[in-house]
Amino acid sequence: MSDSVSDCTEPRSAVTEAEVEALVRGICFKTGPPRTLGVEVEWFVHELRRPWLPAPPERLRAVYTALRTLPLRSALTVEPGGQLELSSAPAASLMECIASVSADLDAVRALLAEADLGLSGYGHDPWNPPRRFLREPRYDAMERYLDRAGPEGRSMMCSSASVQVCLDAGYEEPGPLGHGRRWWLAHQLGAVLVAAFAHSPLSGGKPTGWRSTRQSLWAAMDPGRSGAPPLRGDPRAAWARHVLDAPVMCVRGGPGPWHVPDGLSFRDWTRSPDPPDRGDLDYHLTTLFPPVRPRGHLELRMIDAQPGDDGWIVPLAVTAALFDDPEAAETAYRSVKPLAERADALPPPCNALWVTAAREGLGDPELREAAVACFAAAADALPRLGATDDVREAVAEFTDRYVARGRCPADDLLLQLHGKDTRSGGDDTPFHGKDTHS
């Protein structure tokens, strides 16, 4: 959601339906050898010693102004609810990506600590209702648009956080690293990633019935905006059709308020008396939130934010290994292929497979079996990707604690809620004895 394009008005040159299709097909998949990797990590900012309390808006504004003076390699942006996001520069290797973002996070945490603020990784805020921090025309329009479908949109905007892994699209040619295979794999393996890294079982301090409440919000809010296109056939053609048929969220108009049309697809807009221009198309692309978004590269958006300062490293390392190592990619493909039968006719995230992954995590036996095979393949591949002992040990510890036992980080939160956390005994967990509505 932190995508941005210029809001300035420039001389308009309308684009036709055919031009839109050609443009989208040309920019969505940039093929070639997988060489670069990126990650986007989102965090909730809160009182350092009372993490169930969000930072007041005036303190957030002050600290974000200070953070923008840091010499970071990552792009620093702010989400509508005040969540902080760091987006890495494209890295030539897994370890380059990890080292760069880790250094930036160290600098960010040090500055936040001076203001008695800290960061936490949850897929969904366990304690607080949605509240909007950013007041901008884009987010005003987004809120009005999403409110038409229900409350899920506001929660998505203001109460969710993720780890997004960015991968090269892959070779033009078929094979384990071909873009067609990687596109298909991202959507089928995506359910396994949802289940293994689910970390959002609470809202308002109470269980929601989902291991990944965040993923349940995406499935419920607006299928035309948050759903994937059909996975059969050519990915470029499918994505171009999806972009044209997706509803227009808003029409930009200077300082606002922006117009929020009702039931207008981008295709319909190109056929109207006042058609869109290239800037409108670029902006429309930033308002689509499918679980896998092709932006030249592939942006995998389905992973919940993770616990701990370095919890984000495990999903990054596992995902990179399963896509960029040919042997691991082939194992992942074979492991998740049987799961495709459970996806029924609906695309992610609304199909039965993804809903089960979000609700049950690795409590589902078939998702657990696929996860065990995929994490083993990733562990074998990590030395070939140059992963350090620390990274390999972190993946091994996650595998032993969660995957091998059919568990996910959400299960720890549910134990903490009842004072049964096995790591701390419960007495010093954020949930123990706290008023979750403070």
Side-chain angles (χ1 to χ4, degrees), residues 76-318:
L76 185 148
T77 51
V78 180
E79 294 294 304
Q83 309 96 309
L84 183 68
E85 178 178 279
L86 287 180
S87 302
S88 74
S93 69
L94 172 63
M95 291 315 304
E96 179 184 318
C97 185
I98 291 173
S100 174
V101 176
S102 295
D104 287 344
L105 280 169
D106 286 345
V108 167
R109 287 196 177 94
L111 195 152
L112 287 173
E114 293 176 4
D116 286 327
L117 297 175
L119 298 176
S120 287
Y122 300 98
H124 185 273
D125 189 324
W127 303 287
N128 303 290
R131 64 169 191 170
R132 193 142 66 86
F133 171 72
L134 295 181
R135 296 289 170 180
E136 300 174 1
R138 168 182 171 89
Y139 298 122
D140 292 344
M142 182 183 293
E143 184 175 276
R144 293 200 308 275
Y145 174 90
L146 293 173
D147 278 351
R148 292 171 178 171
E152 294 85 4
R154 289 196 184 204
S155 290
M156 177 275 293
M157 291 173 65
C158 302
S159 299
S160 69
S162 66
V163 175
Q164 298 177 17
V165 180
C166 299
L167 304 158
D168 283 335
Y171 287 98
E172 185 69 27
E173 299 79 12
L177 302 186
H179 78 282
R181 170 75 72 85
R182 285 161 76 86
W183 176 246
W184 183 91
L185 179 62
H187 290 88
Q188 305 305 333
L189 180 62
V192 177
L193 299 176
V194 168
F197 295 111
H199 187 226
S200 51
L202 306 175
S203 180
K206 299 178 180 178
T208 64
W210 298 85
R211 293 302 193 275
S212 178
T213 300
R214 173 183 171 273
Q215 193 59 49
S216 76
L217 298 174
W218 287 110
M221 55 176 266
D222 180 6
R225 188 164 309 284
S226 61
L231 300 182
R232 298 183 182 88
D234 174 45
R236 290 188 177 94
W239 180 246
R241 287 193 299 269
H242 186 74
V243 168
L244 279 162
D245 292 333
V248 175
M249 175 177 285
C250 56
V251 178
R252 296 172 298 156
W258 294 355
H259 174 55
V260 180
D262 189 6
L264 177 71
S265 71
F266 203 84
R267 189 187 303 276
D268 292 337
W269 193 8
T270 65
R271 298 173 177 177
S272 73
D274 186 21
D277 62 15
R278 174 62 188 272
D280 294 318
L281 171 62
D282 292 341
Y283 187 81
H284 176 63
L285 291 170
T286 73
T287 68
L288 303 181
F289 310 123
V292 183
R293 187 162 63 173
R295 306 181 64 188
H297 60 274
L298 301 182
E299 182 183 78
L300 277 63
R301 304 170 54 85
M302 72 287 295
I303 301 170
D304 281 358
Q306 296 296 289
D309 289 353
D310 299 324
W312 58 275
I313 292 175
V314 175
L316 171 63
V318 169

Side-chain angles (χ1 to χ4, degrees), residues 300-345:
L300 277 63
R301 304 170 54 85
M302 72 287 295
I303 301 170
D304 281 358
Q306 296 296 289
D309 289 353
D310 299 324
W312 58 275
I313 292 175
V314 175
L316 171 63
V318 169
T319 306
L322 294 176
F323 278 85
D324 288 352
D325 180 84
E327 184 177 335
E330 186 62 30
T331 298
Y333 174 76
R334 293 196 305 268
S335 299
V336 302
K337 195 171 183 180
L339 296 175
E341 299 176 1
R342 296 175 56 186
D344 55 53

